[in-house]
Amino acid sequence: MNTKIFLASDEYIDFTADIIQAKATQLFRDITDDTQKARIAFAFVRDEIPHSFDINAKVITAKASDVLLHNTGICHAKANLLAALLRSQHIPTGFCFQHITLMNDNSQGYCVHAYNAVWLHERWIKLDARGNKSGVNAQFSLDEPVLAFPCRAEYNEYFWPGIYANPHAETMLMLQQADSLDYIIKHIPCKVTLPPDAQEEELVP
């Protein structure tokens, strides 16, 4: 497996941006342990960057620097920020995707939910920085993942297998075009079609 693809900067994981570099310096000052860095970054993105729908945000963000600048994003955008912060510290970070209902039931269809996989302790650790609220309680865990949403078989919810090096391209395009939360509700993709870049059991050399 090519480790470099989980460390790269790109249009959406733009950790070379001044605002990302400054935040990384602030968050990780005097911290050398990768696990502690991951714990700090996760808590920051989960707790200090509100999910756009939770605050009825008027601005739509996609790339990590914009999420930090405007202090909001949906799950995909927040996952970009967490990836950017950790990749700035040379910690391999990828993306995982989940097929879930758009609302509490399937009355309004489905969406792709995004969260992160971080390489720690010689394995991939799943972290979901969506942001907690009533009924959502994602936590930092080095053992079994404690994610935002359980998969409910009765609603055909499931995880796409594997780890992706890049954000979900269709959702990124949608966010670039979106001018409101209503647009996101109407146009958010509900499928992942590309194969993953790594399997969960693969080791980083």
Side-chain angles (χ1 to χ4, degrees), residues 50-195:
H51 190 285
S52 299
F53 280 90
D54 292 350
I55 61 169
N56 195 28
K58 302 304 180 185
V59 61
I60 307 302
T61 60
K63 64 181 181 179
S65 59
D66 282 345
V67 176
L68 192 54
L69 175 65
H70 296 290
N71 198 48
T72 192
I74 68 167
C75 60
H76 292 262
K78 294 185 67 172
N80 289 346
L81 177 57
L82 183 54
L85 289 169
L86 294 180
R87 289 186 185 188
S88 78
Q89 304 300 298
H90 310 289
I91 301 172
T93 306
F95 298 85
C96 297
F97 303 115
Q98 186 180 3
H99 181 260
I100 63 172
T101 61
L102 194 55
M103 300 301 175
N104 290 330
D105 56 30
N106 60 358
S107 60
Q108 295 195 42
Y110 294 86
C111 67
V112 176
H113 172 62
Y115 58 97
N116 295 101
V118 182
W119 186 255
L120 295 170
H121 299 280
E122 302 301 315
R123 61 193 178 94
W124 290 108
I125 304 300
K126 307 288 184 63
L127 299 176
D128 192 336
R130 180 248 176 249
N132 290 344
K133 61 176 186 175
S134 178
V136 176
N137 186 31
Q139 299 294 328
F140 186 94
S141 174
L142 296 175
D143 299 312
E144 276 298 308
V146 183
L147 305 176
F149 304 108
C151 284
R152 301 172 297 174
E154 66 271 25
Y155 286 122
N156 191 33
E157 294 179 328
Y158 54 84
F159 298 103
W160 277 280
I163 315 297
Y164 291 76
N166 301 306
H168 187 237
E170 291 85 352
T171 299
M172 293 301 101
L173 179 60
M174 181 275 299
L175 289 174
Q176 285 186 318
Q177 296 172 340
D179 58 2
S180 67
L181 296 179
D182 186 61
Y183 184 98
I184 294 175
I185 291 173
K186 292 178 179 177
H187 295 92
I188 191 167
C190 63
K191 295 180 180 179
V192 174
T193 58
L194 294 177

Side-chain angles (χ1 to χ4, degrees), residues 33-50:
D33 179 71
D34 284 352
T35 299
Q36 186 66 4
K37 287 181 179 181
R39 190 185 299 273
I40 290 169
F42 168 73
F44 170 73
V45 177
R46 183 194 62 182
D47 299 337
E48 303 300 328
I49 306 293

